[in-house]
Amino acid sequence: MKAPHRYHDFEKDISGCGVFGVIARDRELIPGDMPIKAMCTMHDRGNGLGGGFAAYGIYPDLADYWCFHLMCDDQAGLERAEEVLKHFFEIKEAQPIPTRRTPVVTNPPVLWRFFLKVKDARPKWKERDEKDYIVSVVMHINQNVPGAFVASSGKNMGAFKGVGFPEDMADFYRLDEYKAYIWTGHNRFPTNTPGWWGGAHPFTLLDWSIVHNGEISSYGINRRYLCEHDYLCTLMTDTEVVAYLLDMLVRRHKLSLRMASWVFSPPFWDDVARMPKEQQDAFKALRMVYGSACLNGPFAILVTAGDFMMGLNDRVKLRPLVVAEEGKRVYMSSEESSIREVSGTLDKVWAPKAGEPVIATLEN
């Protein structure tokens, strides 16, 4: 066996992928330069096959409308998707997502955003509430409209992602021109799923947004379970199931975020055996009802919606996650260095325990 070169004797264990998030609990708007700078610190955690950001509070003048960010293979795909949207919604505004030419982003898809209102006389799914109606339309487009899929579908938020390093995507999407009170970012190092525009993080549904470092080895079970509840996984990346499971568990089934985290990252059975009987019964019930929603494999995820950000590790903590506080801001990241790169004097820094969620919510 050939001996390693002396300069390569010590290699950095990057553990694949990098995540970053910040929430201003007082809704102070944070310029896009800040999360971009934080992600640049973790450049080596990716390989250029996926980068992206999610931002909340970026469309205040249209905050009451559902905003669909669409990615389409070509103009024909966009036209097919627009016909579907016209069928299900009243379109308030439709416009290309602003981009700039960058030398490293080649052959991007057709990118468009639509601000939508649900029709008073719905053509389909009349028995469902408004959010279930939105979910149904998203699943319909992603499954049945050739050459088009929905990158995000919330209110006053959007996902901006694609093939490239996160700083490339930020430049391409002109994110330095945006301000938001919640930002998340992702630098992808795909392992067993393809690097393509739709497979980049974040993954979203309604106001949910997920960025993830690791692998969901339970993807097959999770996907089949979601199909039983009318969620269709079409984006060829394991992280997609996390967004849909959260929508089902928290919005539809009314579990708290804490309970959802126990479903995703449950305590070991020997730990459950040492709990008081009432707690034992509760954890056994969660496992019996939601066993197919458990996330196996190494992971660190950041979950955001319009009013909170949550960080969660797997129950063995096989992927890094660091949390910090500075005044009204809470940061979560794969590396402490990315937080210190964009912050002043931090009030508190810690690494959450395995399987223990950290939830930062807006004031009021």
Side-chain angles (χ1 to χ4, degrees), residues 265 299-301 311-321 352-357:
S265 189
F299 65 83
I301 58 174
L312 178 68
N313 277 115
D314 63 81
R315 55 185 178 171
V316 188
K317 199 174 177 65
L318 294 173
R319 288 295 183 266
L321 183 65
K353 294 181 180 180
E356 290 291 327

Side-chain angles (χ1 to χ4, degrees), residues 102-108 197:
T102 55
V104 293
V105 178
T106 59
N107 196 29
W197 282 74

